[in-house]
Amino acid sequence: MSNSNGVRSILMVGVGGQGIIRASDILSAVLMKSGFDVKKSEVHGMAQRGGCVSSHVRYGKKVYSPLTRKGDVDVMLSFEKLETLRYLDYMRSSGVIIINEEEIYPPSVNLGEAPYPHNIEEIIRKYFNDIHFLNATKLALKEGDRRIANTIMLGALSPYLDIELDTWEDVFRTDFPPNVAEKNFSVFKMVRNQFSENKNLIMQ
Amino acid sequence: MKVFMSGNEAIARGAYECGVTFASGYPGTPSTEVIEEFSKYDGVYAEWSPNEKVAMEVGIGAALAGARALVVMKHVGVNVAADPLFTVSYTGTNGGLVIMTADDPSMHSSQNEQDNRNYARFAKIPMLEPSDSQEAKDYIGLAFDISEAFDTPVFLRTTTRVSHSKSIVKLGEPAPREDRTEIRYNPDKYVMVPAKARARRVEVEKRMIRLKEYAETFSENRIEMNDPDTGIITAGMTYNYAKDIYPDYSYLKLGMVYPLPAELIKEFASKVKKLFVIEELDPFLEEQIRSLGIEVTGKIIFPYTNEFDPGIIEAAMAGSSSESRQFSLPPIPARPPNLCPGCPHRGLFYVLGKFDCFVTGDIGCYTLSFMKPLEGLDSCVCMGASIGMAHGMSKALKEKGKGRVVAVIGDSTFIHSGITSLLNLAYNKSHAVVIICDNRTTAMTGMQEHPATGYTLQGDIAAQLDLVELGKTLGIRNVHVVDPFDMKTTRKIIKEELSTEGPSLIISQGPCVLLKKERKRKKKPLMIDTEKCTGCKLCLGLGCPPIAWKRFEDMKDITIPKKRKNQEGIAVIDTALCNGCNLCLQLCKAGAIMEVSGNE
């Protein structure tokens, strides 16, 4: 994959309250620790109140803009199925899309005034080859804590970044209290291993 | 040491490093975190003032006493603070005085998109504009140096993208604290009666000439010569967007956006063939550069509205709309922000939405209730506007307005700028009903203390304003307190007050669900008995996030008995999201809503 300035862009999207900002902070810390210049920016109105959230993380030798232009995102980490569609035009055609299968209904769907599109996977497959689904929310509930879903998403992303497992571990251990760090890192490793098979690294 | 910081965190850090010991402000996105972060450093004083005008006056006082004072607000906050602002430009300061204004292009969380660079020219105050977190930290120190060297207040302007994006910052050592405060008398400088102000007015113009000279050699106004075919003059975040797309062009990057370095601009213009000015919002730089007789391309190709990004700049420069891929997608339902599950505003606005009234609204979470399905609010202009507007509307409508005009305002907003308007209601005999949505915090900006919470920013116990007593003292005879989670009583009291002569004050008291204390409270979530739900959709009228509509045809695996002939589905509650506020239970006529039993 190429980018004119050698800068990579990761876009995390979803709904306020899903832990996207926390996840993008962890990712940024990992990238910074690996020696990259990093910039990060969220686009949200009042995120805590159920609106859309998107977080741009950009890294490379020297990063200027914290926002990615449309068509330039290398990996999209989508925390909610429908939100994937909202940001498709940010993806480069060869980009990777990782999607959490959770569906969170917008107010108009809850009120029965608009349908929640049911063929999201089919639509995305028309335009992109490298797409992957997982149910991070279900897996997190199975692990006993809904809040761990964002760590699971990072685990699915990590095989696409050439970053040492130790660096991830360091960041988990500095960013969380000890027992929470342990749990998060072990779940992270498990998902990372699952996703490591048959994946091409995007960052050499 | 290198740290990953937002622009706002970096400004707080920079202020601490350069010896600032005093900060005041009023919360407002995207500026809020500066005061919050600064207040955590050792040996500093920081306060939430009731509004930006007070914060500005507090800062002026501290600076006159010799302290380095930082005053922080969002762009529209400067409108509130404009009165003292224009005159402190005349008086100058003792200790440095820096005013941070955080502008919000694209109005991510604001009611307008004003470009506060215009205030710099209007009030004759120099303005610096950083482009990332490192510059944000560095510029705050430079701003204080300029303030003290030129005896002037200085603006530091950010935009949402600078304040809220994060980048790598190199931390420095904090300067040693020295107490330079003392009482200094100087009536020629500080008593702005006409005779004295006329003399200071002349000093302001002299200062502007000296500042213009300083701008020519100011280290943060810098030329980056590269390809001489294309030159770009820019400042702030747009510099980064342009560099992202065009790293090989030549740049004049302005760290000081007012006053401008005329000679430096002429020099840069003479070195490049084609010159562009890239700036969000107003053609502030462009018009001043044109007035130097320099031909530039600016707003003829770049938009006036909304924040930029690299794609917008690229499309404008290329003279075509962005060539992003086209996808054929189904309609994507919007996802507007909503009141939280368990929010105390929901019950009040459900009730208000059913009255045939015009509800003048204000700035706060409750503004969200204008949307479907609550539709409980009909206007929103600025902080504090609701009460004055309701009074004006009620007076103009005369008999037609009786019992049909209600003002709603949050507790923090009421303290910010609603108190004088409420006094006016009593004084000028209004018939409007005022409702204070008292959720015990400044919720929209993230839970800040205010004079009615009983605590200060830095955690001290404070005098607690009593809203009921205040209302009575201002001359309002009918004052009531209601619990918005009890919709029946709330409806009854509003109805009574609408039919009563004279102004009324209703305080709707329910704590914000995001308050720490409320988060810890044990929740008793509700569920819907699918056997009993008649699909009447009454509960959906609350617009509560956990309540959703499920159509029978989408539930192929489950069979649920129809209770009515035309029933099309049932309502369901996502118990994981439910806060157990019981509003839906009060509405349900079928008795289908109940507490989730303990073992589930």
Side-chain angles (χ1 to χ4, degrees), chain B residues 59-76:
Chain B
I60 294 171
L64 253 57
R68 280 193 154 187
L70 174 64
V71 183
V72 180
M73 56 197 67
K74 70 181 292 179
H75 62 335
V76 288

Side-chain angles (χ1 to χ4, degrees), chain B residues 5-251:
Chain B
M5 278 184 155
S6 71
N8 282 351
E9 289 167 333
I11 289 168
R13 174 71 197 188
Y16 172 64
E17 284 182 10
C18 81
V20 177
T21 52
F22 197 101
S24 55
Y26 181 80
T29 313
S31 73
T32 314
E33 301 83 2
V34 175
I35 294 278
E36 286 183 330
E37 293 301 319
F38 179 76
S39 74
K40 296 173 191 166
Y41 286 108
D42 285 338
V44 304
Y45 174 80
E47 72 169 39
W48 290 129
S49 306
N51 67 32
E52 293 87 353
K53 178 175 184 286
V54 176
M56 181 77 77
E57 290 153 353
V58 167
I60 294 171
L64 253 57
R68 280 193 154 187
L70 174 64
V71 183
V72 180
M73 56 197 67
K74 70 181 292 179
H75 62 335
V76 288
V78 181
N79 302 339
V80 179
D83 200 359
L85 174 77
F86 279 75
T87 306
V88 75
S89 171
Y90 286 23
T91 65
T93 69
N94 276 320
L97 176 64
V98 174
I99 302 140
M100 177 188 157
T101 164
D103 292 12
D104 190 18
S106 279
M107 298 173 270
H108 294 288
S109 37
S110 304
Q111 67 272 36
N112 80 30
E113 200 179 37
Q114 67 188 52
D115 185 335
N116 274 12
R117 293 179 300 172
N118 294 300
Y119 267 116
R121 185 154 57 166
F122 198 3
K124 299 177 188 287
I125 292 174
M127 178 179 270
L128 306 187
E129 184 170 356
S131 69
D132 62 16
S133 299
Q134 181 67 54
E135 286 187 357
K137 186 180 85 77
D138 296 342
Y139 283 20
I140 190 84
L142 293 171
F144 275 100
D145 291 343
I146 294 169
S147 174
E148 285 165 3
F150 291 86
D151 191 13
T152 177
V154 175
F155 270 123
L156 183 81
R157 182 214 189 212
T158 65
T159 54
T160 301
R161 202 56 54 203
V162 172
S163 277
H164 281 177
S165 67
K166 289 189 173 182
S167 54
I168 298 170
V169 175
K170 206 173 157 212
L171 299 188
E173 283 300 312
R177 317 266 121 178
E178 43 176 323
D179 185 358
R180 288 179 297 180
T181 58
E182 63 174 313
I183 292 181
R184 300 174 178 88
Y185 299 95
N186 190 347
D188 287 345
K189 213 164 161 267
Y190 300 126
V191 184
M192 286 300 95
V193 294
K196 306 285 188 197
R198 281 182 206 117
R200 291 300 303 172
R201 172 79 187 83
V202 176
E203 291 302 316
V204 170
E205 293 306 324
K206 285 186 192 162
R207 185 178 75 205
M208 284 316 302
I209 291 167
R210 286 190 289 129
L211 279 163
K212 279 177 190 166
E213 285 165 7
Y214 177 76
E216 300 289 353
T217 55
F218 179 56
S219 58
E220 296 302 312
N221 289 337
R222 60 168 197 266
I223 292 176
E224 297 170 6
M225 272 318 284
N226 227 318
D227 177 1
D229 276 353
T230 309
I232 291 174
I233 301 178
T234 188
M237 186 50 84
T238 46
Y239 165 78
N240 288 314
Y241 298 152
K243 283 287 271 196
D244 189 79
I245 304 275
Y246 306 113
D248 299 328
Y249 288 173
S250 295
Y251 286 82

Side-chain angles (χ1 to χ4, degrees), chain A residues 5 40-41 49 69 83, chain B residues 161 166 244 314 335 338:
Chain A
N5 308 322
K40 178 188 108 121
S41 191
R49 287 154 190 90
R69 72 182 140 173
E83 291 308 303
Chain B
R161 202 56 54 203
K166 289 189 173 182
D244 189 79
E314 187 182 35
R335 206 184 281 280
N338 192 357

